[in-house]
Amino acid sequence: MKFFTKKSLSILLAVVLILGTTAGLTAYASPASGWNSFQSDSTNNGVINNGTPPTAASTTATAVALPTNNPSGNVYSGVDTTSVINDGTIYTLYNGGVYDAGTGQGGARIAATTTAGGTVTNILLDPDASNDNQLSVPYFNAGNNTLYAATQRSSLIYSTSSLSGWTTSGSASISSGGVATFAAGTTGSVSTTISLNDPVSYIYLPTNLSISTATGSGIYSITLDSTPLVSNGSLTSYGTYDIYNGPTGAFSAGSHTLTITVSNNTASTTINQIDFYRYDWRVYSVDYSSATPTVTMIVGDAAPNLRFEGQPNTPINYDSAGNIYWGVYGGTHSYYQYAIGAANPLHIYTPTVTDDFYFAGAVPVTDGKQNMIVFGSESGKVYVLDPATFTSISTSPITLPQAPGQIRSTMVAPEGGEGNGYIYFTSRGTGSDAYLWSIQISTITSSPYTTGSAILNSNSGVSTPVISNNNFLYVGTSNYSTDLFGSVQAFDPTALRKQSTYVYGDGVTTGSAVQASPIVYSIIAPPSQVRDYIYFTTNTGNGAGYCYSYNGTSPAQVWTYTNTSSNKYSVQGMAADNGYVVWGDDGNNLYLAP
């Protein structure tokens, strides 16, 4: 199952002006090489300061196929995380397909690909993550030459293909072949006792409960004991695909009564296949100091009932003190800090009111007196923690001035999180509009907070913004209720005022869905040549990598490269280093554009 979902060792506090390779043009650049975490470094601001990326209309890409085990031909593997780059090597966490113990293929894997030549060295990270999508962007610590990556796996906790022996009531009946039928226009239920080997609170529960006509309608519910897993679900002709996200420890190991009820169905409805999955996760370190990488599980346990429950779907972010951070959706409902090299490294923050974290990466900031770690959540709250204690600085999280909806964006601190700078992020909204937000760092520890907001032409704000060295803010949008249209929009970051022209698409009638976080390269002089180059991907069936230029008034497509695999969707964005931009797709291709 896939949801929709992303540094060097210290915060980048300064940039160095150097003369660009094109005569007369000045570009921002940094003496350091690497794109070591989501959106480059701990600021999470995807500015390309490490070499000149491809800016020619003739740019093309090389497709590198990552090893995949797909014995049945219909495995939904793929690259769903942005790569990180260090010293000319691209590190990509991906779903390598079904794990095969005999060959060692499949499972959650790390591909180390050279920018020069595209040579792949591939290692197994988590064999238990067999054909599970991986959504957490890893972090490469250049100081100890170690990659840190979080993996998720789904484990089947209950499955049946026959309802023979179940108890029926109302209009429900069960055939000799184990198919339950619910007669049209009445209410019926089937129930049985199931056994859970592990405690569970987060369940993915696909079934083949289907109404017999494509235009039919009706209501269904699924309960475990007296707890609704699904309430008032709408029947379809192609089965059900639901998620129960309950409080930690919602169901203990042992016996429970499972009940499925159908009512108000306009046509006969049947079911005989039920699968329940539990999600859990681990965090690994991969030491690349020697020719043979060393894989170590640093958070988690081999025993299933001791593994942390939920999905680690945020990027792994870091601060200058040697801590890494990630959040979890479902299961433990918590955010985590891991102090690299500490005797007791793991610290856990669990909100007092249950909350979740999806794509919501953290950023380290300071107001000059207090160091802080800031991240958003599914409830639309903004959490501000003290990294020294990993506890909340204020008595309650920040409540934004209007209903923001889910915050599925990583926080961005483009000025390095210093002084009177701002944090930027997006949220999904609660209706037809998503939002772009800013919070002034100097006001973040106490109310009233200095915030700003702007409406995005989107109903799905999950893209992390980027602020260029020419002081334009760019963000991607997607409209999944309007045939997957999307856009890249430009704003003045100070006033959050939208520019008059879209950079790409319009999100309504043109442009494909951009769930990716754009990255940007800036030409800053002479004035007649000032412009930004914006790089992004599209998450649709015709997914591609794009480069657009923008000078504040006129956007232009510079180049595009359509993904070449059989599954072209690119939910993640690009990484850049030393003249290359890199992205992947759901067909397990990695694309290198020099």
Side-chain angles (χ1 to χ4, degrees):
M1 179 190 60
K2 184 186 304 179
F3 284 120
F4 295 110
T5 123
K6 334 194 202 346
K7 296 183 172 188
S8 50
L9 292 177
S10 61
I11 298 173
L12 182 64
L13 298 177
V15 293
V16 180
L17 284 173
I18 66 170
L19 186 64
T21 56
T22 302
L25 299 183
T26 303
Y28 266 88
S30 163
S33 173
W35 191 277
N36 293 70
S37 67
F38 176 70
Q39 296 294 88
S40 178
D41 60 31
S42 64
T43 68
N44 303 322
N45 191 35
V47 171
I48 303 171
N49 291 321
N50 47 7
T52 304
T55 58
S58 59
T59 296
T60 188
T62 299
V64 178
L66 303 183
T68 306
N69 187 42
N70 184 3
S72 64
N74 59 359
V75 169
Y76 292 98
S77 57
V79 179
D80 293 312
T81 65
T82 307
S83 299
V84 296
I85 309 174
N86 184 74
D87 197 24
T89 299
I90 305 158
Y91 298 93
T92 308
L93 170 65
Y94 73 102
N95 171 12
V98 177
Y99 178 66
D100 185 324
T103 64
Q105 295 302 307
R109 310 190 71 86
I110 297 290
T113 308
T114 60
T115 53
T119 302
V120 179
T121 302
N122 188 270
I123 64 169
L124 174 66
L125 190 64
D126 188 345
D128 291 337
S130 178
N131 195 30
D132 287 300
N133 293 303
Q134 306 302 325
L135 298 176
S136 177
V137 179
Y139 158 59
F140 194 97
N141 185 323
N144 62 7
N145 211 33
T146 298
L147 183 82
Y148 296 88
T151 64
Q152 68 174 14
R153 71 145 189 187
S154 58
S155 54
L156 192 63
I157 59 174
Y158 174 75
S159 179
T160 187
S161 58
S162 172
L163 274 58
S164 294
W166 286 44
T167 301
T168 62
S169 65
S171 66
S173 61
I174 299 175
S175 71
S176 59
V179 177
T181 299
F182 302 88
T186 58
T187 298
S189 297
V190 293
S191 62
T192 193
T193 299
I194 68 170
S195 180
L196 299 177
N197 292 328
D198 304 304
V200 64
S201 60
Y202 180 56
I203 309 171
Y204 173 47
L205 47 157
T207 79
N208 69 346
L209 179 66
S210 305
I211 197 163
S212 58
T213 61
T215 57
S217 63
I219 301 297
Y220 71 94
S221 65
I222 303 175
T223 62
L224 202 56
D225 300 329
S226 59
T227 301
L229 304 183
V230 183
S231 298
N232 298 316
S234 297
L235 290 171
T236 70
S237 60
Y238 50 82
T240 67
Y241 302 89
D242 297 292
I243 293 172
Y244 170 76
N245 186 9
T248 302
F251 301 104
S252 61
S255 297
H256 300 271
T257 300
L258 172 63
T259 303
I260 299 173
T261 301
V262 171
S263 61
N264 299 322
N265 48 324
T266 58
S268 176
T269 302
T270 60
I271 182 175
N272 71 307
Q273 182 69 48
I274 302 167
D275 297 303
F276 286 1
Y277 293 89
R278 179 186 191 267
Y279 278 86
D280 47 39
W281 56 274
R282 293 170 172 167
V283 176
Y284 292 84
S285 67
V286 186
D287 186 346
Y288 282 94
S289 298
S290 62
T292 302
T294 302
V295 177
T296 304
M297 182 176 59
I298 60 173
V299 180
D301 193 279
N305 62 337
L306 296 179
R307 288 180 62 134
F308 290 96
E309 193 184 3
Q311 293 179 298
N313 292 338
T314 74
I316 293 182
N317 305 99
Y318 74 101
D319 64 22
S320 60
N323 302 308
I324 59 175
Y325 301 89
W326 67 92
V328 170
Y329 182 93
T332 61
H333 309 285
S334 296
Y335 224 91
Y336 293 80
Q337 178 197 65
Y338 186 89
I340 297 171
N344 298 297
L346 187 65
H347 305 96
I348 305 172
Y349 175 77
T350 303
T352 54
V353 177
T354 299
D355 211 340
D356 283 308
F357 309 98
Y358 204 104
F359 289 168
V363 68
V365 298
T366 181
D367 61 3
K369 297 174 290 186
Q370 172 73 59
N371 292 330
M372 295 167 277
I373 293 294
V374 185
F375 51 88
S377 74
E378 287 291 282
S379 71
K381 299 291 193 300
V382 176
Y383 293 87
V384 183
L385 273 57
D386 182 345
T389 62
F390 210 52
T391 58
S392 180
I393 290 174
S394 56
T395 56
S396 60
I398 295 174
T399 300
L400 296 169
Q402 60 216 47
Q406 298 159 326
I407 298 175
R408 290 190 171 181
S409 160
T410 290
M411 300 285 168
V412 179
E415 297 172 10
E418 291 282 327
N420 291 322
Y422 286 81
I423 293 172
Y424 297 90
F425 58 98
T426 62
S427 70
R428 301 185 73 188
T430 57
S432 59
D433 295 318
Y435 294 97
L436 170 68
W437 297 90
S438 67
I439 303 177
Q440 190 169 13
I441 294 169
S442 61
T443 70
I444 204 169
T445 57
S446 61
S447 180
Y449 316 105
T450 301
T451 64
S453 65
I455 293 176
L456 297 174
N457 190 18
S458 164
N459 63 10
S460 182
V462 299
S463 176
T464 294
V466 58
I467 297 85
S468 78
N469 291 322
N470 285 318
N471 204 37
F472 291 111
L473 182 152
Y474 303 98
V475 64
T477 73
S478 53
N479 275 301
Y480 279 89
S481 60
T482 55
D483 298 322
L484 303 182
F485 288 117
S487 69
V488 173
Q489 300 179 26
F491 290 82
D492 172 356
T494 303
L496 293 191
R497 182 178 63 250
K498 184 179 176 182
Q499 301 297 110
S500 59
T501 304
Y502 286 91
V503 173
Y504 163 79
D506 66 9
V508 178
T509 60
T510 63
S512 297
V514 181
Q515 291 188 299
S517 302
I519 61 176
V520 62
Y521 174 74
S522 297
I523 301 295
I524 63 170
S528 63
Q529 296 296 318
V530 167
R531 61 190 177 276
D532 288 336
Y533 291 92
I534 305 99
Y535 300 83
F536 58 94
T537 61
T538 52
N539 191 39
T540 58
N542 61 345
Y546 290 86
C547 173
Y548 270 68
S549 67
Y550 184 65
N551 61 5
T553 57
S554 302
Q557 179 176 301
V558 178
W559 58 263
T560 182
Y561 184 85
T562 302
N563 299 345
T564 58
S565 79
S566 60
N567 196 352
K568 297 178 173 60
Y569 287 82
S570 287
V571 66
Q572 86 299 113
M574 295 189 186
D577 187 42
N578 280 341
Y580 284 84
V581 293
V582 179
W583 72 98
D585 69 14
D586 277 0
N588 269 346
N589 268 5
L590 192 66
Y591 300 96
L592 284 64

